[in-house]
């Protein structure tokens, strides 16, 4: 295995023009900064590697106006060689034509050498726009990018578009979609979650990267964003509480050295909260990065043993998926 491959974690690179919102996005998503505090952030300077306690690996790269990043002085291969997705941030509240030109140039360059990189365009800061203007802007950006690429002879470019803001859950939702494309085991994870839901009458189940609140998989029943929102708010509460009251547990590896089996009875954190509308949330720590959150009806409450058992099965299956 390549040591540069950062433990096989999905790798993301965040690019876009100065003030487009890159530092804000990484601070809010990966460092739990309240959105309003980003007003006082220093703008991104050059490459920042963000190594954090997360399921994914993340770099932010600023695009200073005068700098040509295809300059041979840059080790392009080192930067793009192992990237899973390039996220390009466009400020929807600003004049975006220049940003689009740069993005198109970048895509055309990249497709020659790194055709497998997903290009993910975040049309960002949409919180400040009216619904109509927001929809028009979204359409306009997509149109301009697709037209230019197809004029250049590049049809069906692997480019996706999202409307994002750090002031609501849209930035987390977009990151979740981006990350899920990079997880080859996603169909397996989804079917494991589906069967967990069937067996325990769970309405919705998410597998969350705890630190970033990005979900790397969910069961496949359709749901609205509110179940994601409530689950992610719940993670915030749990993380805050466990930062105060948590305790250091031995890592799974250390445990396994003892006798190859789980020695400590149920060592993973677990929490349940009842909601107003006759339903409740169940959270279970899965490994050092991931937690399972299930949204359930009050009537499945008496089945705690059944749920614990099935979650244990799920957890074992998951461990196999990720060591394979
Ligand atoms: P960078 O140079 O690309 O790293 O941009 P910054 O992260 O420094 O952001 C520039 C400005 O945009 C800051 O004042 C942020 O508060 C603001 N900003 C970032 N994201 C959003 C957003 O989603 N909505 C709004 N309204 N402002 C944002």
């Amino acid at each position: 295995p390549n040591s540069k491959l950062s433990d096989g974690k999905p790798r993301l690179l965040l690019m876009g023009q100065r003030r487009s919102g890159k530092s804000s996005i990484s601070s809010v998503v990966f460092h739990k900064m309240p959105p309003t505090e980003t007003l006082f952030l220093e703008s991104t300077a050059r490459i920042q590697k963000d190594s954090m306690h997360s399921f994914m690996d993340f770099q932010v790269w600023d695009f200073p106006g005068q700098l040509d990043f295809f300059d041979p002085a840059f080790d392009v291969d080192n930067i793009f060689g192992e990237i899973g997705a390039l996220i390009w941030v466009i400020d929807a509240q600003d004049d975006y034509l220049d940003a689009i030109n740069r993005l198109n140039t970048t895509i055309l360059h990249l497709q020659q050498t790194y055709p497998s990189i997903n290009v993910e365009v975040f049309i960002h800061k949409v919180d400040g726009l009216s619904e109509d203007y927001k929809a028009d802007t979204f359409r306009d950006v997509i149109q301009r990018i697709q037209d230019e690429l197809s004029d250049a002879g590049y049809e069906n470019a692997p480019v996706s578009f999202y409307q994002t803001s750090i002031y609501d859950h849209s930035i987390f939702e977009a990151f979740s979609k981006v990350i899920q494309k990079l997880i080859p085991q996603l169909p397996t994870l989804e079917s494991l979650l589906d069967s967990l839901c069937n067996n325990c009458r769970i309405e919705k189940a998410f597998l969350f990267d705890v630190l970033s609140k990005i979900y790397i998989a969910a069961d496949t029943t359709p749901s609205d964003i509110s179940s994601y929102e409530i689950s992610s708010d719940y993670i915030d509460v749990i993380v805050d509480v466990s930062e105060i009251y948590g305790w250091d547990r031995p890592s799974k590896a250390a445990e396994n050295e003892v006798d190859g089996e789980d020695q400590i009875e149920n060592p993973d954190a677990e929490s349940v909260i009842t909601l107003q509308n006759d339903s409740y949330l169940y959270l279970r720590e899965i490994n050092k990065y991931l937690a399972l959150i299930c949204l359930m009806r009050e009537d499945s409450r008496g089945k705690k043993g059944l749920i614990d058992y099935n979650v244990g099965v799920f957890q074992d299956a998951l461990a196999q998926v990720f060591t394979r």
Side-chain angles (χ1 to χ4, degrees), residues 188-189 192-193 195-196 199-200 207 249-252 255-256 262 264-270 282-292 294 306-324:
T188 314
L189 297 182
L192 287 173
L193 287 165
S195 64
L196 178 68
N199 292 338
C200 302
L207 194 57
R249 272 155 292 134
S251 68
K252 274 274 185 285
E255 268 171 46
N256 288 346
D262 271 3
I264 301 169
E265 182 74 8
N266 203 3
D268 303 310
E270 183 185 278
Y282 168 93
L283 177 146
R284 171 79 169 260
E285 182 185 48
I286 295 291
N287 63 29
K288 70 177 170 170
Y289 303 128
L290 302 177
L292 172 75
C294 302
L306 177 75
I307 292 165
D308 282 345
Y309 173 77
N310 280 289
V311 169
V313 171
F314 171 77
Q315 198 167 6
D316 291 346
L318 200 70
Q320 281 180 23
V321 169
F322 282 119
T323 51
R324 224 180 280 151

Side-chain angles (χ1 to χ4, degrees), residues 200-203 277-280 295-302:
C200 302
R201 298 215 293 142
I202 292 166
E203 297 209 327
N277 56 349
D278 222 22
S279 55
Y280 72 105
L295 191 59
M296 286 184 266
R297 288 272 143 220
E298 193 58 50
D299 57 9
S300 54
R301 186 110 202 200

Side-chain angles (χ1 to χ4, degrees), residues 1-7 82:
N2 186 342
S3 61
K4 286 194 301 182
L5 253 176
S6 55
D7 323 331
E82 320 144 358

Side-chain angles (χ1 to χ4, degrees), residues 96 100 104 123 135-151 161:
Y96 48 73
I100 288 178
N104 282 332
I123 298 163
D136 286 348
T137 305
F138 192 57
R139 233 174 293 127
D140 189 49
V141 172
I142 296 176
Q143 193 73 49
R144 284 174 190 277
I145 291 172
Q146 285 174 345
D147 284 356
E148 251 186 73
L149 291 178
S150 71
D151 285 352
F161 301 89

Side-chain angles (χ1 to χ4, degrees), residues 84-309:
L86 169 65
I87 299 173
W88 192 283
V89 184
I90 292 180
D91 182 347
Q93 294 188 12
D94 198 12
D95 179 13
Y96 48 73
L97 294 185
D98 195 31
I100 288 178
N101 285 335
R102 286 172 188 277
L103 169 58
N104 282 332
T105 314
T106 308
I107 294 173
L108 291 171
H109 267 271
L110 282 182
Q111 60 120 1
Q112 296 163 12
T113 334
Y114 309 103
S116 59
I117 291 179
N118 298 337
V119 179
E120 314 280 5
V121 182
F122 285 9
I123 298 163
H124 189 55
K125 306 194 193 178
V126 291
D127 51 276
L129 309 179
S130 72
E131 283 305 315
D132 281 353
Y133 190 76
K134 186 170 140 178
D136 286 348
T137 305
F138 192 57
R139 233 174 293 127
D140 189 49
V141 172
I142 296 176
Q143 193 73 49
R144 284 174 190 277
I145 291 172
Q146 285 174 345
D147 284 356
E148 251 186 73
L149 291 178
S150 71
D151 285 352
Y154 191 21
E155 303 285 349
N156 303 320
V159 185
S160 312
F161 301 89
Y162 309 81
Q163 309 188 56
T164 56
S165 163
I166 54 169
Y167 287 97
D168 56 34
H169 289 89
S170 60
I171 191 70
F172 297 96
E173 180 85 11
F175 261 106
S176 302
K177 297 275 147 56
V178 168
I179 284 294
Q180 286 169 21
K181 284 195 211 164
L182 301 178
I183 301 176
Q185 304 93 337
L186 181 66
T188 314
L189 297 182
E190 285 177 342
S191 67
L192 287 173
L193 287 165
D194 278 343
S195 64
L196 178 68
C197 288
N198 281 335
N199 292 338
C200 302
R201 298 215 293 142
I202 292 166
E203 297 209 327
K204 191 72 199 172
F206 295 99
L207 194 57
F208 269 91
D209 179 58
V210 174
L211 187 119
S212 61
K213 295 189 296 168
I214 288 166
Y215 68 100
I216 67 159
D219 69 292
T220 56
T221 41
S223 66
D224 56 24
I225 187 154
S226 67
S227 48
Y228 168 72
E229 286 172 357
I230 191 158
S231 304
S232 98
D233 289 347
Y234 188 39
I235 289 204
D236 274 343
V237 175
I238 298 298
V239 168
D240 287 349
V241 172
S242 58
E243 266 168 15
I244 301 169
Y245 299 105
W247 51 291
D248 280 334
R249 272 155 292 134
S251 68
K252 274 274 185 285
E255 268 171 46
N256 288 346
E257 272 166 26
V258 178
D259 69 354
E261 281 295 317
D262 271 3
Q263 258 238 327
I264 301 169
E265 182 74 8
N266 203 3
D268 303 310
E270 183 185 278
S271 165
V272 173
I273 189 170
T274 304
L275 307 173
Q276 284 170 343
N277 56 349
D278 222 22
S279 55
Y280 72 105
L281 279 171
Y282 168 93
L283 177 146
R284 171 79 169 260
E285 182 185 48
I286 295 291
N287 63 29
K288 70 177 170 170
Y289 303 128
L290 302 177
L292 172 75
I293 298 215
C294 302
L295 191 59
M296 286 184 266
R297 288 272 143 220
E298 193 58 50
D299 57 9
S300 54
R301 186 110 202 200
K303 307 196 176 69
K304 180 84 169 68
L306 177 75
I307 292 165
D308 282 345
Y309 173 77

Side-chain angles (χ1 to χ4, degrees), residues 17-24 38-39 41-44 93 124-125 127 164-167:
Q17 285 174 300
R18 183 150 284 170
R19 308 298 294 163
S20 58
K22 300 176 298 296
S23 327
S24 308
T38 63
L39 291 167
L41 269 179
E42 300 263 328
S43 201
T44 320
Q93 294 188 12
H124 189 55
K125 306 194 193 178
D127 51 276
T164 56
S165 163
I166 54 169
Y167 287 97

